[in-house]
Amino acid sequence: MPKLPPKRLESRRQAILEAAERAFARDGFHGTSMQNICREAGISPGTLYLYFPSKVALIAGLCERDRNEIKAALIEVENAPNILEALEDMLVHYACVEPHERRALMFEIGAEALRNPDIAKLMTETDDAFTAMIRATVVGAVDAGRIKPHGDIDTIFDLLSALGDGILWRATLRPDLDHRNSIRRIFALVRQQLLTSTTDTPLACPA
Amino acid sequence: MPKLPPKRLESRRQAILEAAERAFARDGFHGTSMQNICREAGISPGTLYLYFPSKVALIAGLCERDRNEIKAALIEVENAPNILEALEDMLVHYACVEPHERRALMFEIGAEALRNPDIAKLMTETDDAFTAMIRATVVGAVDAGRIKPHGDIDTIFDLLSALGDGILWRATLRPDLDHRNSIRRIFALVRQQLLTSTTDTPLACPA
Amino acid sequence: MPKLPPKRLESRRQAILEAAERAFARDGFHGTSMQNICREAGISPGTLYLYFPSKVALIAGLCERDRNEIKAALIEVENAPNILEALEDMLVHYACVEPHERRALMFEIGAEALRNPDIAKLMTETDDAFTAMIRATVVGAVDAGRIKPHGDIDTIFDLLSALGDGILWRATLRPDLDHRNSIRRIFALVRQQLLTSTTDTPLACPA
Amino acid sequence: MPKLPPKRLESRRQAILEAAERAFARDGFHGTSMQNICREAGISPGTLYLYFPSKVALIAGLCERDRNEIKAALIEVENAPNILEALEDMLVHYACVEPHERRALMFEIGAEALRNPDIAKLMTETDDAFTAMIRATVVGAVDAGRIKPHGDIDTIFDLLSALGDGILWRATLRPDLDHRNSIRRIFALVRQQLLTSTTDTPLACPA
DNA sequence: CATGAATGAGTGTTCATTCAT
DNA sequence: CATGAATGAACACTCATTCAT
């Protein structure tokens, strides 16, 4: 029987999560104390623990929030006229448009997942959902004859998954490089050699 | 003015580094205390600080040691008859043969690089050296007519770099998947669609 | 100016006290939080503080309740045909029949009394009432010629008081020993050497 | 390989234990923070944890120290010409001569034993050693014909154990009463009715 | 009367680092 | 060169209590 309306509680929860994200992004997970987060959120430690039972729970909360965000982004990709283009835009967004801190945080959550099974589970689920969704969309496009894969479709998926993760990793660890340009060129290559759109101009035989 | 012979000093340093690596791999960077490392190395804290000025310096030391190891591995790749095959083997080695802890540590060093410019510099240098080396080798092979790139050579390099990093990332975060098989198939695809060996049986035109 | 009928208030008070006792007995005074008690009682902290102004007040409440219980037990002793037998039964009850948690709680209340004068006062009053009552009863029996004390009657009382407290202390701290048997034998000895019932078979002179 | 001489370490340990005792006696076990103890001992928290691994370990240390003290006291009792007199003096010492805080601390250690098996074990061992020693001494005196028990010797022991504990309990919880006088009278009664010294003037038959 | 969200000082404990020996 | 005792700020987390609703 909550005294405050549920909406108030939920918005408070979100505000705390955002404060935690700012603090984590600024100082890193291990460099951020609960007191820091409290100060950032303008609340007391007691209140913080009313909403999140532990520091790890904050990371889990952020992880879940990201998961929801990615799911939403995926639905957009799903409905896009050109799936490769949509994926490319999504990658540019996370690799270049979002601030560096955002990627750093993602990286640290990954590191945390290596030691914490709960976080690992959240990440695994997100990853699986992502892959399954892309696969369904592309397979649909292939079946509809709008895309032609050059090679085993499963292998192309594995390659694309690794490619996406690798681009994000490099965007995080090598902020000095021009990833936007790199992504554009890589995707052009993918379109040419791995997943040809049949509605585009036909490609010359590579041999 | 060291009074001990430099060899003795250096071997001590290496022993400490190895102890640190064991401890970090077991408990994570933030889960390992300097006392743990001392116990693992069989020395006192005072002695540890004689060889390494801080905990981060240990990570930097490990990072540098890894860099040297990778450079050695690269030279092997450089001299290999088939560069793609050598790269593939190297990837299988780091993604599947080396124990999971090794990858986890690499990941944590990456996370540390995000907060520490010294570590970042070490990683960047290693990455650049790696890329430059691969590029030189492949370009040599292309010029010699032993390999034929299907597309812009720089783009292929970017793709391969991201692909390699992504495969390692996935091997670290998704230890439940069969990465060995995945790598084999991806490299077959790469050989077919991106970097064809002219000494192999010519490929059929994919279109 | 209470608006609820006093009975309702009082029964609520008792219910809270019982919940607190359960929680204290389970986890100890210092191991029990006010939130635990609230959960046990099915009320909110605000309500708890409406009935008891502090955590110590709960202990005081329990102490007072115990006092009333002991007073009731004393009246039974007072009316018993054989006072020593009644005392013995009472001791067996508190030392062996009641669950260990009950004694532990009594012990913890004692510890609290050492730091809190209010609690100390309650305990002292109970102790005095107890002693006075026993004394009156026994003196009555002596005057009536039903019991014959072997020695100074005040000293026998002091000994009996200490004996009773000591038996309870030992029953609390040494739950591994057989206190029931011990009490039976001690009381037989007391009857033989300290307080002889003249209605029983006369005792032989111990010398 | 301790750098400091073992004596220095041990004296430091003892100094910390004494500081802890002062603090516990003043404010109670749960009312004393580790910081308080550090201030009292003039050391830092880190140093405190170098000597004692936890707060409970401090209580255990005090408990063990008390045990040794009691053992020493017992040896004196053992060698005393009149064992009952020696026991009486020992009781007077702990009940009346030692400061109230000492008893309060003993009480709190008892309370802690109810929740902590390690402490309970220490207390049980001390108690058993105490009882065994007294029994051996008294049985020796009985066999030598210097003391004559009036009743079953085991029962007399149980009664004496409970009596001693009860006197200490009462001395702790009722500091307002005159325990010295009470003990003198109780022991006189014991000598008269339970354990007669055959070297003293023979007692008249109580009947 | 009752609620429960909010508080914030306080808890026991850790750990990277220093320095006298 | 090596030691290890000592440090003390910092940590994640708790809990008796309050008060606006």
Side-chain angles (χ1 to χ4, degrees):
Chain A
M1 289 162 233
K3 195 79 158 299
L4 288 189
K7 274 198 178 173
R8 181 97 181 70
L9 286 179
E10 187 50 32
S11 84
R12 191 87 121 118
R13 220 187 109 92
Q14 290 307 322
I16 292 173
L17 224 39
E18 274 158 34
E21 183 176 33
R22 283 193 301 275
F24 285 150
R26 197 193 317 116
D27 306 318
F29 180 59
H30 291 283
T32 301
S33 73
M34 292 303 257
Q35 290 288 358
N36 289 158
I37 297 172
C38 289
R39 220 167 294 136
E40 184 79 38
I43 58 171
S44 66
T47 304
L48 177 49
Y49 277 85
L50 224 51
Y51 288 87
F52 294 91
S54 71
K55 198 180 178 185
V56 166
L58 282 167
I59 278 287
L62 286 173
C63 197
E64 190 143 22
R65 212 201 44 178
D66 283 3
R67 188 170 66 161
N68 293 336
E69 181 186 314
I70 284 180
K71 276 183 180 168
L74 280 181
I75 290 176
E76 282 197 28
V77 170
E78 214 166 5
N79 299 329
N82 186 324
I83 185 173
L84 267 184
E85 205 169 283
L87 277 175
E88 184 183 340
D89 289 345
M90 189 175 167
L91 217 44
V92 167
H93 177 75
Y94 283 112
C96 313
V97 178
E98 289 276 350
H100 177 252
E101 286 75 20
R102 185 85 199 267
R103 283 184 293 281
L105 182 51
M106 213 178 58
F107 206 104
E108 287 203 298
I109 293 179
E112 207 52 32
L114 295 176
R115 310 285 169 189
N116 185 315
D118 294 341
I119 309 267
K121 208 184 158 200
L122 279 173
M123 292 203 84
T124 297
E125 285 174 11
T126 308
D127 188 54
D128 284 342
F130 188 98
T131 308
M133 222 281 306
I134 301 282
R135 177 186 303 264
T137 310
V138 176
V139 165
V142 169
D143 288 350
R146 284 182 293 134
I147 275 185
K148 180 175 166 49
H150 300 260
D152 172 47
I153 189 75
D154 284 332
T155 302
I156 291 177
F157 276 123
D158 283 357
L159 186 149
L160 285 181
S161 292
L163 195 55
D165 285 343
I167 285 170
L168 285 178
W169 162 290
R170 294 189 68 77
T172 307
L173 283 180
R174 299 297 309 265
D176 52 316
L177 305 180
D178 177 6
H179 295 285
R180 191 184 298 258
N181 177 31
S182 180
I183 294 171
R184 296 292 179 220
R185 286 186 290 108
I186 288 175
F187 266 76
L189 186 61
V190 166
R191 270 191 215 92
Q192 192 183 56
Q193 295 299 112
L194 299 172
L195 277 178
T196 307
S197 171
T198 54
T199 61
D200 293 352
T201 314
L203 296 165
C205 172
Chain B
M1 282 163 242
K3 296 193 178 161
L4 283 192
K7 273 196 179 177
R8 182 96 182 71
L9 279 177
E10 187 50 29
S11 83
R12 189 85 118 123
R13 222 186 108 91
Q14 290 307 320
I16 293 173
L17 225 38
E18 275 160 33
E21 183 176 33
R22 282 193 301 275
F24 286 150
R26 197 194 316 116
D27 306 318
F29 180 57
H30 291 283
T32 300
S33 72
M34 293 300 259
Q35 291 285 359
N36 287 159
I37 297 171
C38 289
R39 219 168 296 136
E40 184 80 40
I43 58 170
S44 67
T47 306
L48 177 52
Y49 275 83
L50 232 46
Y51 288 86
F52 294 91
S54 72
K55 199 180 178 185
V56 167
L58 282 166
I59 278 288
L62 285 173
C63 194
E64 189 144 20
R65 214 201 44 179
D66 282 2
R67 187 172 66 162
N68 294 336
E69 181 186 317
I70 284 180
K71 277 183 180 168
L74 279 182
I75 290 174
E76 282 195 29
V77 170
E78 213 165 5
N79 298 330
N82 186 325
I83 186 172
L84 267 184
E85 205 169 282
L87 277 175
E88 184 182 340
D89 289 345
M90 189 177 168
L91 217 45
V92 167
H93 178 75
Y94 283 111
C96 313
V97 179
E98 289 276 349
H100 177 253
E101 286 75 19
R102 184 83 199 269
R103 284 185 291 282
L105 182 52
M106 210 178 61
F107 208 107
E108 288 200 298
I109 293 178
E112 206 53 32
L114 296 175
R115 311 286 168 193
N116 186 311
D118 295 341
I119 310 265
K121 207 183 159 199
L122 280 172
M123 292 202 86
T124 298
E125 285 174 12
T126 309
D127 187 56
D128 283 342
F130 188 99
T131 308
M133 219 281 304
I134 301 282
R135 176 186 304 264
T137 310
V138 176
V139 164
V142 168
D143 287 352
R146 285 182 292 131
I147 276 184
K148 180 177 165 48
H150 300 261
D152 172 48
I153 189 74
D154 285 331
T155 302
I156 290 178
F157 276 124
D158 283 356
L159 187 150
L160 284 181
S161 293
L163 194 55
D165 285 343
I167 284 170
L168 285 178
W169 162 291
R170 294 188 69 76
T172 307
L173 282 180
R174 298 298 308 264
D176 53 316
L177 305 180
D178 177 5
H179 296 284
R180 192 184 297 258
N181 177 33
S182 181
I183 294 171
R184 297 290 179 221
R185 288 185 289 107
I186 287 176
F187 267 76
L189 185 62
V190 165
R191 270 192 216 89
Q192 193 184 52
Q193 295 298 112
L194 298 174
L195 278 177
T196 307
S197 170
T198 55
T199 61
D200 295 350
T201 313
L203 296 166
C205 172
Chain C
M1 284 164 241
K3 295 192 181 164
L4 281 193
K7 275 199 178 174
R8 183 97 182 71
L9 280 176
E10 187 51 30
S11 84
R12 189 85 117 122
R13 222 187 108 91
Q14 290 307 320
I16 292 173
L17 226 37
E18 275 159 34
E21 183 175 34
R22 283 194 300 276
F24 286 150
R26 198 194 316 115
D27 305 319
F29 180 57
H30 291 283
T32 301
S33 73
M34 293 300 259
Q35 291 285 358
N36 286 159
I37 298 171
C38 289
R39 219 168 294 134
E40 185 80 40
I43 58 170
S44 67
T47 305
L48 177 51
Y49 276 84
L50 231 45
Y51 287 87
F52 294 91
S54 72
K55 199 181 179 184
V56 167
L58 282 166
I59 279 286
L62 285 173
C63 194
E64 189 145 20
R65 215 201 44 178
D66 282 2
R67 188 171 65 162
N68 294 334
E69 180 186 316
I70 285 181
K71 277 183 180 167
L74 281 181
I75 290 175
E76 281 196 31
V77 170
E78 214 165 6
N79 298 331
N82 185 325
I83 186 173
L84 268 184
E85 206 169 279
L87 277 174
E88 185 183 340
D89 289 345
M90 190 176 166
L91 217 44
V92 167
H93 178 75
Y94 283 112
C96 313
V97 180
E98 289 275 349
H100 177 253
E101 286 74 20
R102 185 84 198 268
R103 283 185 290 283
L105 182 51
M106 212 179 59
F107 207 106
E108 288 200 297
I109 292 178
E112 206 53 33
L114 296 175
R115 311 284 165 195
N116 186 313
D118 295 342
I119 311 266
K121 208 184 157 198
L122 280 172
M123 292 201 86
T124 298
E125 285 174 12
T126 309
D127 188 55
D128 283 343
F130 188 97
T131 307
M133 220 280 304
I134 302 281
R135 176 186 303 263
T137 310
V138 176
V139 164
V142 168
D143 288 350
R146 284 183 292 136
I147 275 184
K148 180 174 165 47
H150 301 260
D152 173 48
I153 189 75
D154 284 332
T155 304
I156 291 178
F157 276 124
D158 282 357
L159 187 149
L160 285 181
S161 293
L163 195 55
D165 284 344
I167 285 169
L168 286 177
W169 163 291
R170 293 188 69 75
T172 308
L173 282 180
R174 298 296 309 264
D176 52 318
L177 305 181
D178 178 5
H179 296 285
R180 191 184 298 256
N181 177 32
S182 181
I183 294 171
R184 295 290 181 222
R185 289 186 288 106
I186 287 175
F187 265 77
L189 185 62
V190 166
R191 271 192 214 90
Q192 193 184 52
Q193 295 299 113
L194 299 174
L195 278 177
T196 307
S197 171
T198 54
T199 60
D200 293 353
T201 314
L203 296 166
C205 170
Chain D
M1 287 163 235
K3 194 77 158 303
L4 288 190
K7 275 198 180 175
R8 181 98 182 69
L9 285 180
E10 186 51 29
S11 84
R12 191 87 122 118
R13 220 188 109 92
Q14 290 306 323
I16 293 173
L17 224 38
E18 275 159 34
E21 184 175 33
R22 282 194 301 277
F24 285 150
R26 198 194 316 116
D27 305 319
F29 180 59
H30 291 283
T32 300
S33 73
M34 293 302 259
Q35 291 287 357
N36 288 158
I37 297 172
C38 289
R39 221 167 292 135
E40 184 79 40
I43 58 171
S44 66
T47 305
L48 177 50
Y49 277 85
L50 225 50
Y51 288 86
F52 293 91
S54 72
K55 199 181 178 184
V56 167
L58 282 168
I59 278 286
L62 286 173
C63 196
E64 190 143 20
R65 213 200 43 179
D66 282 2
R67 188 170 67 160
N68 293 336
E69 182 187 314
I70 285 182
K71 277 184 181 168
L74 280 181
I75 290 175
E76 283 195 29
V77 170
E78 213 165 6
N79 298 331
N82 185 324
I83 186 173
L84 268 184
E85 206 168 282
L87 278 175
E88 185 183 338
D89 289 345
M90 190 175 167
L91 217 43
V92 167
H93 178 75
Y94 283 113
C96 313
V97 179
E98 288 275 350
H100 177 254
E101 284 75 20
R102 186 82 198 270
R103 284 184 291 283
L105 183 51
M106 214 178 57
F107 206 105
E108 287 205 297
I109 292 179
E112 206 54 31
L114 295 175
R115 309 284 170 191
N116 186 316
D118 294 341
I119 310 269
K121 208 183 157 201
L122 280 173
M123 291 203 85
T124 298
E125 285 174 11
T126 308
D127 188 54
D128 283 341
F130 189 98
T131 307
M133 221 281 304
I134 302 282
R135 177 186 303 264
T137 310
V138 176
V139 165
V142 169
D143 288 350
R146 285 182 290 130
I147 276 184
K148 179 175 165 50
H150 300 261
D152 174 48
I153 188 76
D154 284 332
T155 303
I156 291 177
F157 276 124
D158 283 357
L159 187 150
L160 286 181
S161 293
L163 194 56
D165 284 344
I167 285 169
L168 286 177
W169 163 290
R170 294 188 69 75
T172 308
L173 282 180
R174 298 296 308 265
D176 53 317
L177 304 181
D178 178 4
H179 296 285
R180 192 184 298 258
N181 177 32
S182 180
I183 294 171
R184 295 292 180 220
R185 288 186 289 107
I186 288 175
F187 266 75
L189 185 62
V190 166
R191 267 191 280 275
Q192 192 185 53
Q193 294 299 113
L194 299 173
L195 278 176
T196 307
S197 171
T198 54
T199 61
D200 294 352
T201 313
L203 296 166
C205 171

